[in-house]
Structures are given as C-alpha cells and as structure tokens.
C-alpha cells in the first residue's frame, strides 16, 4: 500500500499581518490533510524586513537555492514603513518570481458570501486576471543620471518578448476555453507605439480558431472603466505586468475587498516551484492586533493545493471560506467582529464537516 502523498512547502510569513494570517492558513491545511491522504512538511523561512534589518538582505544569499528544492512557496506579505518598497519587493518577491520563471500571475476575483460590492446592484462576479509576471513594464533595464541636479533624468525600459507574450497568452486562451470562451486583452496600442501593437499581434496569433475562444482587445483606460461599470461582461482578462497589476486590484475592490483576494505566481511547465500569496499588503497599521482577515491567505493556499494536485482539498477550503462568511464570521474589514483566529477556526470547522460527508471521516 502506498503512503500518503507528501509535499514540502516553504513558508515565508514575511512582515506585518503576514505573521498572523499565515498560521491561520497552515492550520486549515493541516486539519484537512490527514482525511484526504496527503501530508505537508512546512519549512519556515524567517525572511523579510526583520532579516533585512539584521543582515542587509531580505533573504539569504542562497535563498533561491533553498526554495528550489521544495514543491511550493506560501508567502504572507512583504513591506515595512521604515524600508523602501523597492528594497523589500526587489529583495524577495520579484527575484523569486523571475528566477523561478513564474510568468503567470493568476488572480481569481469573485464576490464571496456576505461581502458587499461598492458597486450598487452587483451581487455576482466571477472573473480571472491572467497577468504577465516577469517582464513588461517591470524590467530592470534603465537608470538615473545627474542625481540631485536640475537635469536629473530617470529612464525605465519596458521589455516585451515574443516568448513572454506567447506563453502568458497561451495560458489565458486555454483558461478561457475551459470557462466561458471569452478573452479580453488589455492594451494601449493607440498611445504606446511599439510594445502594445506587438502585444496585440502576438496575443491575436495565440487565439486559434479551434479553441472556441473569442478575443476582444480593449484599451486599458476603457477597460478600467468597464471593470467598474460593466464587470459582468468580463470573464478572463490577459494583461501585461503593469496593466494586470492595476486591473486585478481594481477588480478585487469592485468585488468588495482586496483583503480576501488571492493570487498564484505560476511556473506552468513545473520546472520550478510556484508561489502563492494574498493580494493584500503587510498592513502595519493593524499588525499585531489579531484582527487581520485571513481569507486571502487561505484562498491562496487553496490555489496551492490545486496546483499541487489536490483539487478536492482546494475545493473544500474554498467551500469552507464561503460557508464561514455566509454564517457571518467576518473580520472588521468586512463589517464583522471576528478575530483572525475565529475566522480560521470557523473555516476549519466547515471543512471538517464537509470531509465527514465527502470522505467519510473527519
């Protein structure tokens, strides 16, 4: 008889509320794993702003080598008021994304039970943003000259490769074919004369007639307005690094709260581990108070289980989130009074109840 399926996951709780929502997510997974026949070995990495203050680096010199031996990475939050954001992000999150070729940033956006959209009359939403994650506008090419002088100049180059566009567009087309068959591509080809027409051309080439997917290219300003005014007309959006970053946060706000939004940084060929994280930041203003919303972290953990090959576990976690919210167990950002731990406990309880029915034992 074969033993349980075993996974090794690196845990980077990071900064601020990451230290609070991460234990909540781990508790939920540990609760359901035995009944579903898998185990997770958690490798705790004490990396982040405290590591930077002590060592001048966000992670060890060989940090990427350490992560490369795992099956996945679960990230909490990165950022501290006393350290510039470019130091925290480029010292931890972005090197992981690029070294491990996590070129798809996947962000599902839904209105969860009990969460109220700020858009009047919007009570249902289900869309996915597929963001190119390693090139585009967020390149390292450029620099500054004449620092401190009146003629000081900053130059930042956007990098769009055919390979980079093709692989993210192909992923988005496949996803759209398994959903409603509708793909919207974010562009700005009327104003950005080289990269955006190139983006449009390559994305268009990736939509094969046999896929059954219809493609619509929409200018980013019009698309941003559409996310707010007509969000139900959207299903899968594919976008460059910058556009996808902005659109996914906007759509999460339309869905009621960025605090519940998850994301996955995927290496689709599985040559390297993928990384899963909530969209929210480190929220230093509420850190240490026990009131942080753990839903985004737990939903991101469900995405990790899906990627690792545990779809039933992923679905049970998402169902547990929805059941807990539906019964009114919510943190203050969603109008409730529950603590981080109380939300995690409620989600765990609903997961175990579902397991008792689905698997036959809790």
């Amino acid at each position: 008889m074969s033993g349980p399926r075993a996974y090794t996951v690196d845990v980077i709780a990071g900064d601020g509320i990451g230290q609070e929502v991460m234990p909540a997510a781990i508790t939920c997974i540990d609760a359901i794993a035995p009944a579903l026949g898998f185990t997770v070995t958690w490798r705790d990495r004490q990396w982040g702003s405290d590591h930077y203050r002590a060592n001048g680096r966000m992670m060890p010199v060989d940090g990427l080598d350490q992560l490369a031996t795992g099956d996945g990475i679960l990230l909490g939050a990165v950022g501290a008021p006393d350290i510039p954001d470019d130091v925290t992000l480029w010292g931890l999150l972005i090197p992981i994304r690029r070294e491990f070729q996590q070129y798809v940033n996947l962000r599902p956006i839904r209105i969860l039970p009990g969460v109220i959209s700020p858009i009047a009359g919007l009570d249902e939403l289900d869309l996915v943003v597929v963001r190119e994650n390693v090139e585009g506008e967020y390149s390292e090419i450029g620099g500054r000259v004449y620092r401190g002088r009146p003629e000081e100049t900053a130059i930042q180059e956007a990098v769009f490769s055919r390979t980079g566009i093709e692989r993210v567009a192909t992923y988005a087309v496949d996803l759209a074919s398994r959903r409603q068959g509708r793909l919207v591509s974010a562009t700005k080809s009327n104003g950005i004369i080289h990269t955006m027409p190139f983006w449009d051309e390559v994305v268009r080439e990736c939509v094969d007639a046999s896929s059954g997917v219809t493609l619509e290219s929409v200018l980013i300003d019009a698309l941003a307005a559409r996310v707010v005014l007509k969000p139900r007309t959207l299903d899968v959006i594919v976008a460059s690094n910058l556009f996808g970053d902005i659109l996914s946060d906007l759509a999460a706000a339309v869905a009621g709260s960025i605090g519940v939004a998850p994301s996955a940084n995927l290496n689709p060929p599985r040559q390297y581990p993928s990384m899963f994280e909530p969209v929210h930041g480190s929220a230093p203003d509420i850190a240490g108070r026990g009131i942080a919303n753990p839903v985004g972290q737990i939903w991101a953990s469900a995405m990790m289980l899906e990627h690792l090959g545990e779809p039933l576990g992923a679905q049970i976690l998402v169902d547990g989130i929805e059941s807990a919210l539906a019964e009114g167990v919510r943190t203050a950002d969603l109008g409730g009074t529950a603590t981080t731990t109380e939300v995690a406990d409620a989600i765990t309880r609903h997961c175990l109840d579902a397991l008792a029915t689905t698997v036959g034992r809790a």
Side-chain angles (χ1 to χ4, degrees):
M1 179 181 293
S2 61
R5 300 174 300 280
Y7 307 103
T8 298
V9 174
D10 288 289
V11 176
I12 309 173
D15 305 321
I17 63 171
Q19 296 286 334
E20 300 167 58
V21 297
M22 184 65 77
I26 291 174
T27 296
C28 290
I29 291 180
D30 284 345
I32 68 173
L36 292 171
F38 70 89
T39 64
V40 179
T41 298
W42 306 102
R43 299 194 299 198
D44 187 22
R45 307 295 186 181
Q46 296 292 319
W47 304 344
S49 294
D50 284 344
H51 191 278
Y52 177 83
R53 296 184 190 100
N55 303 283
R57 297 180 57 90
M58 292 292 290
M59 62 178 169
V61 174
D62 66 342
L64 293 172
D65 292 333
Q66 295 182 42
L67 298 177
T69 62
D71 297 304
I73 305 162
L74 198 56
L75 177 68
V78 179
D82 61 320
I83 304 175
D85 286 343
D86 59 324
V87 172
T88 55
L89 290 175
W90 284 87
L92 184 63
L93 176 64
I94 294 179
I96 294 172
R97 286 175 172 174
R98 298 195 172 190
E99 183 66 23
F100 293 153
Q101 285 295 291
Q102 295 168 351
Y103 58 81
V104 168
N105 185 254
L106 190 66
R107 296 192 177 184
I109 295 138
R110 287 164 42 198
I111 297 179
L112 297 175
V115 179
I116 300 173
S117 169
I119 306 300
L122 184 65
D123 56 6
E124 186 176 345
L125 181 65
D126 184 359
L127 65 88
V128 182
V129 176
V130 180
R131 167 190 172 193
E132 199 291 314
N133 208 32
V134 297
E135 54 178 47
E137 301 89 348
Y138 294 175
S139 81
E140 298 177 75
I141 301 174
R144 289 166 64 177
V145 294
Y146 308 123
R147 289 176 181 264
R149 295 167 57 176
E151 64 269 32
E152 183 173 1
T153 302
I155 298 173
Q156 179 81 41
E157 297 291 345
V159 176
F160 287 76
S161 69
R162 176 172 290 276
T163 295
I165 301 170
E166 281 181 344
R167 62 192 183 186
V168 73
T170 299
Y171 185 95
V173 170
D174 178 66
L175 179 61
S177 71
R178 291 182 278 114
R179 286 173 57 92
Q180 298 179 23
R182 296 184 289 116
L183 178 64
V184 170
S185 173
T187 185
K188 191 58 182 172
S189 50
N190 63 339
I192 301 177
I193 191 64
H194 299 300
T195 57
M196 283 289 99
F198 181 51
W199 168 277
D200 292 347
E201 292 167 15
V202 178
V203 171
R204 198 159 47 240
E205 292 168 5
C206 293
V207 182
D208 190 279
S210 63
S211 67
V213 172
T214 59
L215 173 66
E216 184 182 3
S217 292
V218 182
L219 297 175
I220 184 62
D221 39 0
L223 184 52
R226 183 166 158 184
V227 168
V228 175
L229 298 175
K230 297 180 179 180
R232 290 192 186 91
T233 67
L234 300 167
D235 183 43
V236 177
I237 299 173
V238 64
S240 66
N241 213 332
L242 176 62
F243 291 171
D245 194 2
I246 295 170
L247 284 173
S248 55
D249 282 3
L250 175 62
V254 167
S257 173
I258 200 170
V260 303
S263 72
N265 302 276
L266 300 176
N267 173 247
R270 299 173 186 267
Q271 298 166 315
Y272 305 99
S274 294
M275 179 168 59
F276 304 84
E277 57 176 322
V279 172
H280 65 67
S282 58
D285 56 322
I286 63 168
R289 296 169 57 189
I291 61 173
N293 190 338
V295 168
Q297 187 77 68
I298 297 170
W299 193 354
S301 302
M303 296 181 74
M304 181 183 73
L305 290 184
E306 178 79 31
H307 182 74
L308 291 176
E310 299 292 341
L312 180 56
Q315 189 59 57
I316 285 174
L317 271 185
V318 173
D319 289 347
I321 290 170
E322 294 187 340
S323 296
L325 292 175
E327 74 176 11
V329 183
R330 305 168 202 146
T331 45
D333 59 308
L334 298 180
T337 59
T339 65
T340 305
T341 301
E342 288 170 343
V343 172
D345 288 346
I347 292 171
T348 300
R349 171 168 48 84
H350 283 287
C351 288
L352 293 177
D353 288 344
L355 280 170
T357 301
T358 304
V359 182
R361 60 190 176 95

